[in-house]
Amino acid sequence: MDNKNDGNINTINQALNNATGRFQFKTFLTAGMGFFTDAYDLFIIGTVIAILPMVGWNITKTEDALIGATALIAAVLGALTFGRLLDYLGRKAIYGLELVLLVIGAVGSAFLSFKNPWVLIGWRFLLGIGIGGDYATSSVIMAEYSNMKTRGKYVGMVFSMQSIGLVTSSLLALVLLLNTHVIPLVDTWKIMLAVGAIPPAIVVYYRRKMPEPPRYTVAKGRAAEAAKNLKSYTGINVAVSTQKEEVNTPWYTLFKDRKFLITLIGTAGTWFLMDWAFYGNSIMSSRIFATLITATGLAGLIRSTEYAALIFTVAALPGYWLATFTLDKLGRKPIQITGFVMLAVSYGILALFPIIDTPAYIAEFLIVYGMSYFFMMFGPNVTTFVYPSEVFPVTTRGFGTGMSAAGGKTGAFLGTFADAFIIVTGLSVLMTVLAIFSVIALVMTILLLPEPKGRAMEEVSREKEYTKTIN
């Protein structure tokens, strides 16, 4: 292969590496609205599960766990499929289709479940494929339109829209639960699920209208098309030659190249361990808070939803955005290390002092539990999303990101499903498991992951080693 220091690929990449403009904010809004929806859909289901038995649904323990977790295992399939297609067919060919699945899945879950848990599980599976697809596509699209200095901020902003969805899900649930005299409980859960169809329906058009990102097009040897798309979407005009170059990294490069394999283990492995804690805790929040609440039935559900809204708003939301706006100053790796250290401390306190898990110590529990949420967000929840979009070559970036997201959502599925059974043995047991996972993830971060801050993606991902001139 010819390792080149100039040429069309370098010209296009350099233009984007130094570019600023309204197009970046437009890309953020188009991509970020999907993550608002992903978070809303994934976390509203915890409240819905608590409501269903109150409105006449007959649900076994296994069905209960599957309703909460199915979208997550489906997201694994969605991330792998959309990630591979992103590289094989191109970004434009598939971007927006994942939102169509979100709309169909949300509407079907709300209105076509017929009091049958397995039908609801089926609709949640379809929804989950769309969620996984969004994880694989949106970070890649945003990263490929970002510059070197603010790439972390913009990709982080896309993901941090999850915080708005997280808070919205808890606040909307609380409002509806407090007004069952206006909207009966039998309709409340349907509204909760149906709302998830609205945001993706609004932005799907804008995703489908986006051009192919120039970084991908030029890497595929189509420099003139890349320059045209760059001009039309960003306003940046560059001159390209007739010289043809390609970045030749087929999907198996991630396994054949030892350095890429180590990085992939790091991105997928830390995301797996982080998502086990995050989704297991968040979707199971009603069960966790139930250990502190003496009220039962609707009153108990309202109180646990209030606690969840408090934690998500006061601890989680600021953590997301603080990480987002410091990624390019502090670096991805230091923030991820800090997060895992503090998660290990938080979960360790909750594991070693089980008395804190009782109604008499609600304030103490909320402080420590809130600390875990803050450092989850100002830490690995944001950084594990940003990392994969930066560290793999452009022509296998989608698959590398999809594989990493699939690792995360596998952990999310196992955490949500298994935690439903682990918590029966005691909250301190669950927190012990999560503390151990945090330590393992800390070690993996230190040993396996690079620092992309302030570096061009083509440098971090060693694209020049795989660039060749076509005669």
Side-chain angles (χ1 to χ4, degrees), residues 9 16 19-21 34 41 47 55 67 82 105 161 181 209 221 226 277 326 374 376 404 425 470:
I9 291 177
L16 285 164
T20 57
D41 285 334
T47 306
V55 294
I67 291 171
F82 275 82
M161 287 297 288
H181 59 288
K209 291 291 289 183
T326 56
F374 176 82
M376 178 73 77
S404 301
T425 65
I470 306 170

Side-chain angles (χ1 to χ4, degrees), residues 330-392:
L330 302 178
R332 288 64 159 156
K333 194 165 183 174
I335 291 176
Q336 185 157 311
I337 288 172
T338 300
F340 278 128
V341 167
M342 294 307 297
L343 284 175
V345 171
S346 302
Y347 296 140
I349 292 172
L350 295 175
L352 292 173
F353 299 96
I355 192 174
I356 206 173
D357 304 338
T358 62
Y361 292 88
I362 291 177
E364 290 83 354
F365 178 86
L366 291 177
I367 290 171
V368 179
Y369 195 61
M371 183 173 73
S372 76
Y373 263 89
F374 176 82
F375 284 104
M376 178 73 77
M377 312 318 165
F378 181 65
N381 197 32
V382 173
T383 53
T384 54
F385 176 80
V386 174
Y387 253 119
S389 66
E390 302 180 299
V391 296
F392 301 114

Side-chain angles (χ1 to χ4, degrees), residues 17 21 34 53 59 85 89-90 112 139 154 185 208 221 225 260 263 375 403 427 442 465:
N17 284 340
I59 301 175
L85 292 177
L89 298 178
L112 301 173
S139 62
Y154 274 106
L185 205 57
R208 296 301 299 156
E225 180 186 340
F260 286 142
T263 300
F375 284 104
M403 288 276 290
L427 192 56
L442 169 64
E465 296 179 27

